[in-house]
Amino acid sequence: MTTVFAGIDIGGTKTHILLADAVTHTVTEDVTLPSTDWQTRDLHRAADWLIARLSTIADDAEFVRVAVGAHGCETTAQCALLAGALRTALGGIPVTVVNDAELLVPAAGFEHGIGVVAGTGSIAVGRHRDTGVRLSAGGWGWVLGDEGSGSALVREAARALLTHADTGTDLSADPLTKALLSSYGAADLPALAAAMSWDGGVETWGRHTHAVFNAADEGSALARDVIAQGGRALADLVIRLAERGARTDTVVLAGGVITGRPRLWTAVTDRLADALPGTAPHLLTAPPARGALTLALNGGH
């Protein structure tokens, strides 16, 4: 029987599991699975969900320590309850559970800092500089927030077009109009609004983010403004944590919306430079699951 550490990143769409040999610390398994049916409403069911997936790739392994970054674990209490359920299911071994955004800083090789996820949704997570208490900002979902996320960028781009249409402004030639209509296969703005409401719902909005960035590259001032506002909103999440006492010397950003998107990156970093001089922003290049494995190897810290 092999003895291993496990680092797990459970995201909204996929789950990345890394296993490392307990002696050499070399990675022995690197598996990505869909996060289908993952939820944190019932934490015992969530624990069973994860155990079932671990069993498919490590049924003969003995775990030394498991560290999990879990999408949907928004409070310290939630994380502790899920850790307890997993600990019981795994025979009492040490288990650490954090929000998935907390994986970014250790994944980038830093001990302290703020992690910002800009993907389908958005959230910033850090720790108080003196007490170590977990602090978060954002992550409230597409109805109430998630500014700077893929869902929000598409939402705000469509809102900008519809608001201008209400004033009688003709934006039929604007690259943003063309890009969003084409992405949704809609003939006009009423059809776009209907498609966004009924064709798969908000869960699918993020996949249309490319239309906003493409329109900006093609000269749409409206799209550029939406992206700039989204970037400033992401930076504002960090600023709110700083005001609450979080360490901000390092900020690590990750997610499919900001990776490879220099317009959004520039908007974030310019706002941080103005508001928090001395803060060093980093774009994560390693998988967040590396952060989970680092936590497991370092005793959960």
Side-chain angles (χ1 to χ4, degrees), residues 77-126:
Q78 266 188 312
C79 291
L81 288 170
L82 180 56
L86 286 169
R87 191 176 302 115
T88 299
L90 290 168
I93 66 163
V95 176
T96 299
V97 176
V98 297
N99 179 271
D100 53 340
E102 288 198 77
L103 301 182
L104 307 188
V105 172
F110 299 103
E111 186 175 355
H112 304 288
I114 292 176
V116 181
V117 173
T120 302
S122 62
I123 190 172
V125 177

Side-chain angles (χ1 to χ4, degrees), residues 32-288:
T32 300
L33 304 167
S35 294
T36 307
D37 296 328
W38 168 255
Q39 54 77 42
T40 54
R41 295 181 300 276
D42 183 331
L43 294 175
H44 289 286
R45 282 182 57 194
D48 291 341
W49 183 96
L50 183 54
I51 295 299
R53 277 134 188 92
L54 282 175
S55 297
T56 65
I57 65 172
D59 57 348
D60 62 343
E62 179 181 349
F63 295 100
V64 176
R65 177 182 290 274
V66 173
V68 182
H71 174 75
C73 265
E74 308 298 347
T75 68
T76 300
Q78 266 188 312
C79 291
L81 288 170
L82 180 56
L86 286 169
R87 191 176 302 115
T88 299
L90 290 168
I93 66 163
V95 176
T96 299
V97 176
V98 297
N99 179 271
D100 53 340
E102 288 198 77
L103 301 182
L104 307 188
V105 172
F110 299 103
E111 186 175 355
H112 304 288
I114 292 176
V116 181
V117 173
T120 302
S122 62
I123 190 172
V125 177
R127 297 276 172 173
H128 192 279
R129 66 172 67 91
D130 297 323
T131 66
V133 171
R134 177 185 181 274
L135 302 170
S136 68
W140 300 116
W142 70 275
V143 174
L144 301 175
D146 277 357
E147 288 84 356
S149 70
S151 299
L153 290 175
V154 173
R155 178 190 69 208
E156 295 308 311
R159 281 168 57 90
L161 290 177
L162 297 175
T163 298
H164 278 78
D166 286 343
T167 67
T169 305
D170 182 8
L171 291 178
S172 58
D174 190 293
L176 182 59
T177 303
K178 295 179 178 179
L180 273 182
L181 292 182
S182 175
S183 188
Y184 273 95
D188 51 28
L189 292 182
L192 172 65
M196 292 183 69
S197 298
W198 305 111
D199 187 13
V202 68
E203 294 82 3
T204 68
W205 288 4
R207 72 181 63 163
H208 299 277
T209 310
H210 68 278
V212 183
F213 287 103
N214 290 345
D217 291 341
E218 292 170 14
S220 171
L222 210 57
R224 291 175 181 177
D225 187 54
V226 167
I227 294 167
Q229 289 183 34
R232 289 193 292 269
L234 287 172
D236 285 345
L237 298 179
V238 176
I239 294 166
R240 289 171 202 157
L241 294 187
E243 291 170 345
R244 292 164 58 190
R247 294 185 59 159
T248 60
D249 44 340
T250 299
V251 175
V252 180
L253 297 102
V257 173
I258 198 165
T259 301
R261 302 294 190 184
R263 289 186 188 277
L264 187 61
W265 173 259
T266 299
V268 174
T269 54
D270 284 353
R271 171 71 171 138
L272 288 177
D274 288 341
L276 298 173
T279 294
H282 300 268
L283 185 63
L284 185 66
T285 56

